[in-house]
Amino acid sequence: SRELASQRFVDQGFRFYFQDDLSTAMRRFNQGWLLNQDNPDVYYGFMAVLNDREDFCAARAMVERAFELGLRRKPEELADAGRVYAICAVQDHSLSEETKTAYAKKSSEYYTEALKLQPNSAYVYGSWATASYWLGDYRTAWKYVKLERENGGKPGKKFLKMLKTKMPQPKS
């Protein structure tokens, strides 16, 4: 069926995505879209590639479309959505202050929902730390770094260096 073929292209797309072959991944997601424009996994794939290409506002639109089409709201997907909302709010200078505030709020809502589903997720805490960093809330970023570590996660060295440049790690 078209639906099954679409899903197979999405699966291939993610294989290429995890090999850092973003061009081929995007081609596979596009092939999946051509077969089934209502496949939420296609849009989540688009979001992943656009995120890695640092086109965060386009990624935000794709993950929102995926949720509208019924993408299962798992903690990782919710955290990814929260991150792209936060970074879009900061990076798109054409957005009104009202929209930026709404995106930051939506980001927080997605993270809160993710933690309700999986309360001790190192992935969610690590993602929320980066979102907090981009929103300029460095104290909160450190709080989530601590929670990420407490739950078995290991923050990236590059991210920690960037965060330390903005604010030294609190002693508590």
Side-chain angles (χ1 to χ4, degrees), residues 17-18 44 47-48 51-52 74-83 111 114-115 118-131 144 147-149 151-154:
Y17 172 79
F18 288 118
Y44 187 73
M47 182 279 309
N51 176 73
D52 284 16
K74 296 183 281 188
E76 294 81 6
E77 283 80 357
L78 291 162
D80 292 344
R83 185 173 183 279
Y111 283 116
L115 288 173
Q118 190 174 355
N120 299 312
S121 172
Y123 182 84
V124 174
Y125 285 125
S127 178
W128 207 346
T130 62
Y144 291 128
L147 288 166
E148 177 185 12
R149 287 175 172 151
N151 287 284
K154 186 175 180 186

Side-chain angles (χ1 to χ4, degrees), residues 111-151:
Y111 283 116
T112 300
E113 185 178 346
L115 288 173
K116 284 180 183 173
L117 294 172
Q118 190 174 355
N120 299 312
S121 172
Y123 182 84
V124 174
Y125 285 125
S127 178
W128 207 346
T130 62
S132 298
Y133 170 88
W134 288 109
L135 290 169
D137 188 353
Y138 309 121
R139 182 166 303 286
T140 300
W142 278 116
K143 177 181 103 172
Y144 291 128
V145 164
K146 181 180 179 190
L147 288 166
E148 177 185 12
R149 287 175 172 151
E150 287 174 1
N151 287 284

Side-chain angles (χ1 to χ4, degrees), residues 1-112:
S1 71
R2 292 177 70 84
E3 290 79 14
L4 183 59
S6 172
Q7 195 58 48
R8 286 199 176 139
F9 277 117
V10 168
D11 294 343
Q12 288 176 3
F14 276 110
R15 276 196 293 281
F16 285 108
Y17 172 79
F18 288 118
Q19 295 171 6
D20 285 328
D21 185 349
L22 299 182
S23 295
T24 305
M26 187 60 99
R27 278 196 297 281
R28 294 298 177 264
F29 295 136
N30 275 314
Q31 289 169 314
W33 178 83
L34 288 169
L35 290 166
N36 181 5
Q37 295 176 13
D38 293 328
N39 181 346
D41 296 325
V42 166
Y43 296 91
Y44 187 73
F46 290 154
M47 182 279 309
V49 171
L50 291 166
N51 176 73
D52 284 16
R53 290 182 177 167
E54 298 184 359
D55 190 350
F56 299 106
C57 291
R60 182 210 59 78
M62 291 296 113
V63 76
E64 202 55 46
R65 181 71 177 132
F67 285 146
E68 289 168 5
L69 290 171
L71 181 71
R72 190 164 159 240
R73 295 166 86 93
K74 296 183 281 188
E76 294 81 6
E77 283 80 357
L78 291 162
D80 292 344
R83 185 173 183 279
V84 295
Y85 260 91
I87 299 175
C88 175
V90 173
Q91 289 195 339
D92 188 340
H93 301 293
S94 70
L95 296 175
S96 69
E97 288 304 315
E98 181 180 1
T99 300
K100 289 179 183 186
T101 299
Y103 282 6
K105 182 179 181 212
K106 186 74 168 176
S107 171
S108 181
E109 290 169 0
Y110 278 135
Y111 283 116
T112 300

